[in-house]
Amino acid sequence: MKGRYFAFNPGLCVLLIPLGAIAHKNGAPCARCPRNAHCTNASSCRCDPGFTSLSGKVIFSTSSEVCTDINECGPPLYMSCGSLAHCHNVEGSYYCECAPGHELLSGGTKFQSEKENTCQDVDECSSGKHQCHNTTHCINVKGSYRCYCHHDWVARSRPLHGLNFTICEEVPFPSWTSPSGVNSQSLSRFFDKVQQLSQDFKPALAKNTIQDLMQEVDELLETPGDLETLAPSEQHCVATHLLVGLEDVLRVLSKLLPKGPLTAHASAGTGLSLTVQDQGIGDVTLGQSQAKMQLKWDVAQESNDLGPSVVGLVSTPGMSKLLAEAPLVLDSKQQTVLREHRDFLAGGFPVLLSDVVSAFVSNKDTQNLSSPVTFIFSHRSVTPGPTQKVFCVFWEHSQDGCGHWSTTGCRMAATGDASTTCQCSHLSSFAVLMAHSHVQQEDPMLAVITYVGLGLSLLCLLLAALTFLLCKAIQNTSTSLHLQLSICLFLAHLLFLTAIDQTKIKLLCAIIAGALHYLYLASFTWMLLDGLHLFLTARNLTVVNYTSVSRFMKRLMFPVGYGVPALIVAISAASRPSLYGTPTRCWLHTDKGFVWTFLGPVCTIFSINLAFFLMTFWIVKNKLSSLNRDVSTLQNTRMLTFKATAQLLILGCTWCLGVLQVGPAARVMAYLFTIINCLQGAFIFLVYCLLSQQVREQYGKWFRGVRKAKAEPENYTLSSGTVSDASKHSAALHSSNSSHPPRSERLLPGFTESPVPKP
């Protein structure tokens, strides 16, 4: 049996070895190998196909080894699936799949190697696999399809069953009517012709309609007729309406044109260049005789519009007639740079150097483009002088339908004598203009006069206010008016002196400008009430009715003195809040005549006070002497007349000098205006305090009281010294005669026996 056993054992081994090899070959699981691995022998493991060990070893014996997936679709393998297909990695393997819009000849989509690749394009249009609306036309493209509208229709994105579909609609002629509130026969005739074009419009003849429209615009701008007689602000509104309307109409009509470029030129220079293309890529360049535009196609296409893309450039040289006096507003960065160099735009309006060009694309949202648009302008040769600056500007529409030139979003890339290159981050109507500027150099003498004069004025106003408040003998309606006038002027001058140049924070500057506006208007209103009170006093003296004047003024003065200026400032701030504060001063802006919200009331008050002065002077001259001879003496008449004249000077004559600071005499007027206005406080203190007999008497009482108060401590000190000396003398006598107390007691009280005379 033993031999049989050994004889059987080798045979059994022969049978088991192949079975074991087969088991290892088939990757039988091995308990001591990690996941995604199999054993190769009793002590070694190997990662499964599609996996590799972290250590990089093919055969390993440690159970801590980890087998990770091999990405056959990535480096370094990059398994090729062939054209029109993509490789997809899965755990332990990979597969190939036809690209979207393609399928295998067999109809399947997945395969294993490049040799099995039979991917071909799927015709979604013929197979019915597209999602085009029934109003559109499906056209198959490689790997996809497109939904297009017929030639005379335009694509619109509409929600349908929860999805956005492209629906085709027939193109109507855009509505473009005359702006309301503008009375012009030339403009009315133009829009009558536009209405006729709208009625005769046929989509198939869009090209002819565009050419006719450009000709009508050209004729209007060449011979504007009564448009030139309109106010500049109305001309700016008309220009805005024409630019916006023409851009909207051309954007719609150009989508009906066949693909490719189109140019249209009118006799007076108005021109159009545009191109139509199916969602183009790269750059596009359009040019007119005096301007060229470069931009990328991707900024032209609307995100929800699958129709053709349109890019257009319109040149309107005649538009400069309507924009001749348009203001220029610099962006905050340019204002900061100029302010740092103390360089500011001078008065007057900028001069257009180039034609006005308008750029439009299919996409209406062009306020913040992904890439800038470049404009190259050719203009008349000009070399800017030291006080001239060239700007790249665009026409910014305002909320009231008008507009102004602005530099926001535009910068000058290069400039020469006859050419300027601009880059802008938005689309609108553009031009190159030249504005005069000046470096603001403050006159040191005017600065000294201002600070010294306002300092003196503040001191005098403070003294005057304290006098009106503390002097009981003169307190009446007149001094109440003078007190409020002094307080308002004191606060206005103090704010002007300390905060007029605080322009860094725009909101703070606007608040300061509003406060100055209110305080100066309140000062003038109290001046008006003072003039009214002087007139009523003089008039009622003739009928001996002073009490009624006092009652009337007490009821009237505070509501009018503080309420009317508040109402004016509130209306001004509500209508034009952005015009409070300028780049150089915290005061009212001169744009759109906003400064007349201050000058208007001032001129009105000055005119009324002048009338009060003349009537008061007439009453004092001719009527007052017949009432009471004591009152009509020459001295009193001269004093009343002098006060009325001084009051007129204080109440506004000096401010007229500020309006006259133009021309060759501007410097002289500036000095006179600064000197006299800075001394208004001194005038008030002189006329109403120092020249008043009652106030002088009160001042005398105050001074005598002060001197008496100073003298009493001196007398007290002298008396104390005398008593002290007497005490010392008494003590000496007492010590020398201590042995004779009765005699000492008789001599001390009066010193009657002293050889020194009694004082």
Side-chain angles (χ1 to χ4, degrees):
M1 290 182 63
K2 186 175 182 180
R4 291 178 183 177
Y5 174 77
F6 285 108
F8 178 74
N9 191 39
L12 181 61
C13 290
V14 171
L15 291 175
L16 291 176
I17 290 173
L19 291 175
I22 293 172
H24 290 306
K25 186 175 181 180
N26 292 334
C30 189
R32 53 188 173 78
C33 293
R35 185 176 178 271
N36 298 322
H38 60 274
C39 58
T40 58
N41 53 42
S43 62
S44 300
C45 297
R46 183 173 187 169
C47 292
D48 293 338
F51 295 88
T52 183
S53 64
L54 287 179
S55 64
K57 297 179 180 180
V58 177
I59 304 297
F60 54 89
S61 57
T62 59
S63 60
S64 62
E65 187 67 70
V66 177
C67 292
T68 59
D69 176 56
I70 299 174
N71 184 8
E72 292 84 356
C73 299
L77 298 179
Y78 288 114
M79 298 299 296
S80 176
C81 294
S83 61
L84 305 177
H86 304 294
C87 177
H88 296 275
N89 182 67
V90 294
E91 190 176 46
S93 183
Y94 74 98
Y95 68 91
C96 296
E97 186 178 31
C98 292
H102 299 80
E103 64 182 7
L104 297 171
L105 287 176
S106 61
T109 58
K110 296 182 179 180
F111 53 96
Q112 201 66 30
S113 66
E114 185 176 1
K115 295 179 180 180
E116 301 175 8
N117 186 347
T118 59
C119 296
Q120 62 180 3
D121 177 57
V122 176
D123 189 350
E124 293 88 354
C125 296
S126 60
S127 62
K129 296 180 180 179
H130 65 86
Q131 292 185 350
C132 293
H133 193 261
N134 55 12
T135 60
T136 64
H137 177 57
C138 179
I139 297 179
N140 184 68
V141 295
K142 191 174 183 179
S144 184
Y145 66 95
R146 297 282 180 87
C147 303
Y148 286 98
C149 296
H150 295 290
H151 179 67
D152 297 341
W153 294 56
V154 67
R156 296 282 187 265
S157 179
R158 296 287 187 272
L160 188 64
H161 304 301
L163 299 174
N164 283 332
F165 284 90
T166 299
I167 299 176
C168 297
E169 297 176 350
E170 190 174 7
V171 179
F173 192 93
S175 176
W176 192 17
T177 58
S178 179
S180 59
V182 179
N183 186 14
S184 170
Q185 295 182 357
S186 299
L187 201 61
S188 299
R189 287 194 297 268
F190 169 76
F191 280 104
D192 289 341
K193 296 177 181 178
V194 172
Q195 185 66 26
Q196 188 64 41
L197 289 176
S198 174
Q199 295 175 358
D200 299 339
F201 172 68
K202 294 181 180 179
L205 301 177
K207 180 178 179 180
N208 296 337
T209 303
I210 291 175
Q211 291 176 339
D212 293 341
L213 180 63
M214 297 301 297
Q215 184 61 39
E216 297 297 340
V217 172
D218 184 76
E219 292 178 0
L220 174 66
L221 298 178
E222 177 65 17
T223 55
D226 55 0
L227 286 178
E228 293 183 312
T229 63
L230 298 177
S233 59
E234 289 185 314
Q235 291 181 356
H236 302 160
C237 294
V238 171
T240 301
H241 192 77
L242 292 176
L243 291 171
V244 174
L246 181 61
E247 180 181 324
D248 291 339
V249 172
L250 292 177
R251 179 184 292 109
V252 174
L253 297 185
S254 58
K255 291 188 176 183
L256 303 176
L257 298 173
K259 298 176 182 60
L262 171 68
T263 58
H265 295 283
S267 57
T270 303
L272 166 67
S273 295
L274 63 84
T275 183
V276 183
Q277 186 172 326
D278 288 334
Q279 296 187 344
I281 58 175
D283 298 337
V284 59
T285 300
L286 295 177
Q288 286 290 312
S289 59
Q290 300 296 322
K292 182 186 294 185
M293 178 180 68
Q294 298 174 347
L295 77 162
K296 295 184 179 298
W297 270 109
D298 56 1
V299 305
Q301 184 66 34
E302 286 184 291
S303 58
N304 58 355
D305 189 0
L306 298 178
S309 300
V310 178
V311 178
L313 182 67
V314 182
S315 177
T316 51
M319 196 67 69
S320 59
K321 299 177 182 178
L322 301 178
L323 302 177
E325 297 184 5
L328 169 63
V329 178
L330 302 181
D331 63 7
S332 57
K333 292 183 179 179
Q334 288 180 319
Q335 289 180 1
T336 302
V337 172
L338 293 179
R339 189 183 299 118
E340 290 176 352
H341 293 83
R342 304 200 62 81
D343 190 3
F344 304 97
L345 294 183
F349 299 101
V351 178
L352 275 172
L353 299 181
S354 68
D355 295 342
V356 179
V357 298
S358 301
F360 66 92
V361 294
S362 305
N363 187 8
K364 291 184 179 180
D365 185 13
T366 58
Q367 293 304 308
N368 190 13
L369 302 179
S370 57
S371 58
V373 182
T374 301
F375 296 91
I376 303 175
F377 291 93
S378 298
H379 49 75
R380 57 189 176 89
S381 180
V382 60
T383 302
T387 62
Q388 296 174 327
K389 291 186 178 295
V390 177
F391 295 95
C392 294
V393 298
F394 78 100
W395 185 251
E396 185 173 17
H397 310 153
S398 56
Q399 295 180 353
D400 58 0
C402 300
H404 57 267
W405 292 116
S406 175
T407 60
T408 304
C410 291
R411 70 178 187 90
M412 186 172 61
T415 184
D417 292 344
S419 176
T420 301
T421 301
C422 305
Q423 286 188 337
C424 300
S425 60
H426 52 78
L427 293 183
S428 180
S429 299
F430 303 88
V432 174
L433 52 81
M434 183 173 64
H436 290 270
S437 66
H438 68 274
V439 177
Q440 188 182 44
Q441 297 178 348
E442 293 185 354
D443 190 337
M445 185 58 66
L446 276 179
V448 171
I449 293 174
T450 300
Y451 283 101
V452 174
L454 285 180
L456 178 62
S457 183
L458 288 174
L459 176 62
C460 292
L461 287 171
L462 180 62
L463 293 176
L466 292 175
T467 300
F468 299 143
L469 190 63
L470 301 177
C471 187
K472 302 295 184 181
I474 64 170
Q475 287 184 351
N476 51 33
T477 303
S478 179
T479 54
S480 297
L481 292 171
H482 299 158
L483 174 62
Q484 303 305 321
L485 171 61
S486 300
I487 292 174
C488 290
L489 273 180
F490 179 85
L491 295 176
H493 287 347
L494 182 63
L495 185 61
F496 180 91
L497 194 63
T498 58
I500 191 65
D501 294 327
Q502 302 298 321
T503 59
K504 293 183 178 180
I505 303 176
K506 188 174 182 181
L507 178 60
L508 176 62
C509 185
I511 294 174
I512 293 172
L516 285 173
H517 190 194
Y518 174 76
L519 290 173
Y520 278 120
L521 282 181
S523 300
F524 275 98
T525 306
W526 286 107
M527 291 176 185
L528 173 64
L529 292 173
D530 198 9
L532 174 63
H533 180 259
L534 180 64
F535 165 71
L536 292 178
T537 301
R539 185 181 69 87
N540 286 310
L541 281 177
T542 60
V543 295
V544 194
N545 193 21
Y546 182 77
T547 305
S548 63
V549 175
S550 179
R551 289 198 303 267
F552 174 74
M553 292 303 299
K554 286 182 179 179
R555 291 196 303 266
L556 179 70
M557 62 182 185
F558 283 103
V560 174
Y562 289 112
V564 172
L567 181 62
I568 295 174
V569 174
I571 295 175
S572 303
S575 60
R576 294 286 190 276
S578 61
L579 296 182
Y580 275 100
T582 71
T584 59
R585 294 287 185 270
C586 295
W587 184 235
L588 308 184
H589 213 290
T590 57
D591 285 353
K592 301 179 181 179
F594 187 70
V595 73
W596 283 99
T597 59
F598 174 73
L599 293 179
V602 168
C603 293
T604 302
I605 291 174
F606 173 74
S607 301
I608 296 174
N609 270 329
L610 180 61
F612 285 155
F613 162 70
L614 295 176
M615 290 186 290
T616 302
F617 183 81
W618 182 80
I619 291 173
V620 171
K621 182 70 176 176
N622 299 313
K623 297 294 183 180
L624 198 58
S625 59
S626 62
L627 179 64
N628 190 325
R629 292 190 176 275
D630 293 334
V631 177
S632 61
T633 61
L634 180 61
Q635 182 179 2
N636 289 339
T637 303
R638 286 179 177 178
M639 180 58 65
L640 286 174
T641 305
F642 171 75
K643 285 191 174 183
T645 306
Q647 179 150 327
L648 181 65
L649 181 65
I650 297 172
L651 301 185
C653 283
T654 56
W655 287 87
C656 296
L657 300 175
V659 184
L660 299 176
Q661 293 185 36
V662 293
R667 188 175 183 84
V668 177
M669 293 299 176
Y671 272 91
L672 291 176
F673 174 78
T674 304
I675 293 172
I676 298 177
N677 275 277
C678 287
L679 296 178
Q680 278 187 334
F683 289 159
I684 292 177
F685 183 66
L686 173 66
V687 172
Y688 297 119
C689 294
L690 297 183
L691 294 182
S692 171
Q693 183 178 356
Q694 288 180 309
V695 174
R696 291 198 304 271
E697 292 175 355
Q698 187 65 42
Y699 283 164
K701 292 180 181 179
W702 286 344
F703 287 134
R704 286 193 296 271
V706 171
R707 293 180 60 184
K708 183 178 180 181
K710 289 183 178 180
E712 287 179 354
E714 294 177 358
N715 294 334
Y716 176 78
T717 303
L718 181 61
S719 300
S720 300
T722 304
V723 172
S724 178
D725 292 341
S727 299
K728 292 179 181 179
H729 192 189
S730 175
L733 291 175
H734 179 74
S735 61
S736 62
N737 298 294
S738 58
S739 59
H740 308 284
R743 180 177 174 83
S744 175
E745 291 175 359
R746 289 196 303 268
L747 294 176
L748 283 173
F751 298 98
T752 55
E753 295 186 12
S754 173
V756 181
K758 294 173 61 177

